[in-house]
Amino acid sequence: MNIHDSEKVIGTLAQQGYSQVETPEEAGLVLYNTCSIRDKAEQKVFNRLQNFKKVAGKGKVFGVLGCVAQQEGEKIFDKAPHVSLVVGSASYTKLGEMLVQIENGERRVTGLSLDTEETFDTPFTRRDNPNRAYITIIEGCDKSCAYCVVPFTRGPERSRTSESVMAEAGRLAEQGFTEIQLLGQNVNSYQDPSPAGWDFATMLSKVASVPGIRRVRYTTSHPRDFVKRIMDAMDENPVLCDHVHLPVQSGSSRVLAAMDRLYTRDEYMRRIDWIKSAKRKYSITTDIIVGFPGETDEDFQKTLDLLDEVQYDSLFSFKYSPRPKTAALEMADKVSEEDKQQRLLVLQEKQRAIQIRRNAELIGDIQEVLVEGRHASLGQWIGRTSSNRTLNFTHPDVGDESLMGKYLPVRVTRSGPNSLVGESATVV
Ligand code: SAM
Ligand code: SF4
């Protein structure tokens, strides 16, 4: 989502006559897009801003964008006095005007309003990936998970009209993009504000039917809003990729309740059953937080058991990180840093073993990949499967750039915990 926000900012500024340079040294304006989901990400921002100070030349303007900007606001000017612009994501449409204020001599400009009705819907997005295009369909979040800063940094949910999403998808297909990824903090709570009134399942089917689009992905879905209709829509149209990312956070219903996640383990497992009993085989991935306040060894064990039960294809795991304004800040029974670290290691080790096993089961299969790059030194192309696995493969035309962006059948010959290796195959 941050990558796509940066694409929108770059596109908007390019439209206004700015051009992008390679390094902060060369730049007259340095914009730093930030994430504050965990404390570590936030600390990185301030370290990086200190480093920027070294390149601060005469007249060089520094701006901080994104969630740290929204969260810290004008305090950033105190911590990093060389910064003159602080703008949260809900105010990006006004970025151009704010830069004019700076050009006119204002030293400190902020854009921190969250009560905007606008979604950041810009026609001037610059897209770096030649095959995959991101489309934001919903901004913000109306849930209130006890650990999460997103509702404070991204504001309330605002869905884009289906008409504007479809117009963008159509334009992208005409420009030659073949894969679309629909984005939102809670992408599946999408609700079309126009009279057409599409829900997320309808949106998926419609985007998948745009001529020229061969793959559609989406991220991130909240289990509470993951209704059966979504699975039915996916099963009906193979353009909708063989992958569901469904963040669970914990395997313990007690911890899920404390997190205010709005589902129990059993309710989550019902969704997993829908995915597993679907017509096609889907890869299932998740997010897990270890060490939420009050998480006991027994709770953590339930998370490990969940891994055994679901057999995820991959997961993102995080140590709980206290965030400003969130309900969990006040909770008792904090888990020590040591225990969090230990639980993270145990979790990752278990998942690694699961991935080794699951990926090995794919040896011999033929999978269609989208060619995304190549390792020239290894003589391999880099492909991505519909299930979102990296499949590096050899091809008789290894020296030929023309494979980029193509969809090719590849036979899996080897596997590791995080990727597959194969060779070009012709389907008989
Ligand atoms: N909306 C998505 C959902 O409800 O699952 C999650 C979006 S959040 C940007 C991505 C992930 O960051 C979450 O799924 C969670 O695992 C992790 N995360 C969020 N806040 C965190 C915190 N305070 N400490 C550790 N991990 C956190
Ligand atoms: Fe954060 Fe996702 Fe919960 Fe919203 S639903 S508060 S984005 S974790």
Side-chain angles (χ1 to χ4, degrees), residues 37 140-152 154 157 184-186 220-223 225 247 249 259-262 287 289:
I37 194 78
C141 178
D142 281 348
K143 307 258 188 314
S144 45
C145 303
Y147 51 80
C148 186
V149 79
V150 168
F152 307 105
R154 295 258 171 183
E157 275 179 12
Q185 289 296 342
N186 274 329
T220 296
S221 23
H222 190 287
D225 302 317
Q249 316 300 355
M259 287 177 165
D260 206 4
R261 282 294 284 178
L262 310 173
D287 294 348
I289 296 177

Side-chain angles (χ1 to χ4, degrees), residues 78-373:
D78 301 332
K79 288 191 188 167
H82 52 298
V83 169
S84 10
L85 185 68
V86 172
V87 187
S89 64
S91 304
Y92 289 164
T93 36
K94 304 200 185 73
L95 204 51
E97 294 161 35
M98 291 187 260
L99 286 169
V100 171
Q101 286 175 269
I102 290 188
E103 281 165 20
N104 290 340
E106 285 210 31
R107 258 296 284 130
R108 288 179 167 182
V109 176
T110 54
L112 298 169
S113 160
L114 269 183
D115 49 33
T116 171
E117 278 299 294
E118 290 173 71
T119 52
F120 186 39
D121 178 8
T122 156
F124 306 122
T125 304
R126 199 206 57 188
R127 297 175 196 272
D128 288 329
N129 185 317
N131 311 305
R132 177 192 304 146
Y134 298 109
I135 304 183
T136 308
I137 62 167
I138 176 169
E139 300 263 8
C141 178
D142 281 348
K143 307 258 188 314
S144 45
C145 303
Y147 51 80
C148 186
V149 79
V150 168
F152 307 105
T153 56
R154 295 258 171 183
E157 275 179 12
R158 290 95 71 203
S159 290
R160 263 171 77 177
T161 63
S162 51
E163 198 186 355
S164 113
V165 173
M166 291 305 287
E168 190 167 356
R171 269 196 310 272
L172 291 166
E174 277 166 23
Q175 289 166 17
F177 291 95
T178 56
E179 178 175 316
I180 283 183
Q181 183 154 1
L182 302 177
L183 296 181
Q185 289 296 342
N186 274 329
V187 75
N188 55 340
S189 61
Y190 175 81
Q191 185 54 53
D192 181 4
S194 70
W198 294 359
D199 62 4
F200 181 63
T202 307
M203 174 60 85
L204 278 180
S205 305
K206 298 281 187 181
V207 175
S209 63
V210 172
I213 297 303
R214 297 194 51 173
R215 285 184 175 178
V216 175
R217 303 181 186 278
Y218 57 91
T219 196
T220 296
S221 23
H222 190 287
R224 165 78 168 235
D225 302 317
F226 192 82
V227 293
K228 180 79 169 40
R229 268 175 56 74
I230 296 177
M231 226 33 248
D232 295 343
M234 291 180 74
D235 245 1
E236 257 166 44
N237 191 341
V239 169
L240 296 166
C241 285
D242 308 343
H243 175 207
V244 179
H245 183 67
L246 204 58
V248 66
Q249 316 300 355
S250 168
S252 154
S253 290
R254 203 184 66 79
V255 173
L256 290 173
M259 287 177 165
D260 206 4
R261 282 294 284 178
L262 310 173
Y263 53 84
T264 61
R265 178 184 173 129
D266 286 349
E267 284 163 345
Y268 180 85
M269 281 311 297
R270 202 169 315 142
R271 273 115 186 116
I272 297 293
D273 289 344
W274 294 340
I275 304 170
K276 288 192 171 172
S277 56
K279 284 187 228 147
R280 267 186 284 149
K281 244 190 186 173
Y282 292 85
S283 78
I284 308 176
T285 59
T286 198
D287 294 348
I288 286 180
I289 296 177
V290 297
F292 185 76
E295 183 189 68
T296 60
D297 286 340
E298 205 185 351
D299 291 317
F300 177 60
Q301 187 54 48
K302 290 189 173 147
T303 299
L304 295 177
D305 295 344
L306 185 82
L307 262 52
D308 280 331
E309 200 175 339
V310 178
Q311 296 281 306
Y312 290 108
D313 293 277
S314 171
L315 59 76
F316 295 108
S317 51
F318 312 103
K319 288 186 277 183
Y320 163 70
S321 168
R323 301 285 59 214
K325 298 189 190 163
T326 56
L329 269 188
E330 312 300 327
M331 291 182 183
D333 299 327
K334 302 274 189 289
V335 176
S336 72
E337 186 56 33
E338 269 176 357
D339 284 349
K340 280 195 235 179
Q341 183 61 32
Q342 182 57 23
R343 287 178 192 174
L344 190 71
L345 287 177
V346 171
L347 182 92
Q348 290 177 342
E349 198 47 44
K350 182 170 199 63
Q351 179 58 23
R352 192 181 144 82
I354 292 175
Q355 283 176 215
I356 289 174
R357 206 169 48 242
R358 286 191 65 76
N359 284 345
E361 285 166 11
L362 298 174
I363 293 176
D365 272 16
I366 292 180
Q367 304 247 337
E368 185 184 63
V369 300
L370 164 60
V371 185
E372 293 187 334

